Every structure is written in structure tokens, then in C-alpha cells.
């Protein structure tokens, strides 16, 4: 139980960023190196339940799947498919809980002197 609580706290070091063009698979997830390192160490520790071990392996696999440098749409789509499979959800189920929010992007006007 303590390990799950620690992983929950460490997970705040992963950030999700999305692009401004409002495409579903735009953006990326960034994993802080210390999070990945901590999870790699935790994965080899003894005393984990099967569920804790599986959760750690899944997060580590996700960190390797997602291209943190470019926000690769194909990798993002594969990550969504994997998560939906784990959650036993379909694309249709996911669409029902998705709320499209308006863009808050502003146009910056540059004046020349």
C-alpha cells in the first residue's frame, strides 16, 4: 500500500501538454527523469504486490512508448489505445467522457517602428 501511495505522489512529475490546434492526438507527456529512475528502482524491489508491479511496468512502458521530444501523434494514439484497452473502454466510450474546451489562444500583434 505504501508503494502505491508513493507512486501516486511521484506521478505528479509527469506532465501532459497539448498543442493549440485542438487535434485529439496533439501534444505529449513529459516524464521527469527522476520519476523514471525511481520507478526503475522500485520495479526491482521486493515486497511489491502483483498489482503494484504491473502498475510500475505499465508506467515505464508508457514512458518508452511516448516520444517526449516531438509529441509523435502515432505514439500518442498507441498510448490512448493501450490505456483504453486496460480500462476496458472503446473509442466511443472515451468520446462520451471527452469535453472539448474552447481555445484560449490569443493573437499577438507585432508593431514595427
Amino acid at each position: 500500500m505504501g508503494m502505491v501511495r508513493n507512486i501516486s505522489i511521484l506521478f505528479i512529475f509527469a506532465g501532459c501538454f497539448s498543442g493549440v490546434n485542438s487535434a485529439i492526438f496533439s501534444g505529449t507527456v513529459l516524464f521527469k527523469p527522476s520519476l523514471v529512475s525511481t520507478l526503475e528502482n522500485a520495479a526491482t524491489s521486493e515486497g511489491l504486490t502483483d498489482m503494484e508491479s504491473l502498475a510500475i511496468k505499465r508506467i515505464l512502458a508508457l514512458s518508452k512508448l511516448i516520444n517526449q521530444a516531438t509529441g509523435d501523434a502515432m505514439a500518442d494514439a498507441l498510448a490512448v489505445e493501450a490505456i483504453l484497452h486496460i480500462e476496458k473502454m472503446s473509442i466511443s466510450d472515451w468520446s462520451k467522457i471527452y469535453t472539448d474546451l474552447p481555445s484560449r489562444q490569443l493573437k499577438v500583434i507585432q508593431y514595427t517602428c
Side-chain angles (χ1 to χ4, degrees):
M1 186 71 150
M3 180 60 68
V4 172
R5 200 177 358 246
N6 291 341
I7 289 171
S8 297
I9 292 167
L10 287 170
F11 201 66
I12 63 172
F13 290 108
C16 184
F17 300 92
S18 61
V20 295
N21 65 359
S22 72
I24 287 180
F25 297 121
S26 176
T28 193
V29 176
L30 302 176
F31 292 87
K32 193 169 185 177
S34 62
L35 169 66
V36 175
S37 176
T38 301
L39 290 174
E40 287 171 341
N41 292 335
T44 60
S45 65
E46 294 182 20
L48 294 176
T49 66
D50 290 342
M51 194 135 188
E52 290 169 336
S53 179
L54 181 60
I56 291 170
K57 288 176 185 173
R58 285 177 173 168
I59 294 170
L60 287 171
L62 186 63
S63 74
K64 292 176 178 136
L65 170 66
I66 293 177
N67 185 337
Q68 297 182 63
T70 64
D72 177 22
M74 289 304 292
D76 291 350
L78 286 172
V80 167
E81 284 287 336
I83 292 166
L84 290 175
H85 177 74
I86 290 167
E87 294 296 321
K88 296 178 179 34
M89 292 176 66
S90 67
I91 293 283
S92 183
D93 295 333
W94 182 44
S95 180
K96 290 175 187 168
I97 63 170
Y98 175 77
T99 303
D100 192 19
L101 300 174
S103 173
R104 298 188 188 263
Q105 182 180 7
L106 300 173
K107 183 174 185 177
V108 177
I109 300 172
Q110 181 179 359
Y111 294 98
T112 56
C113 296

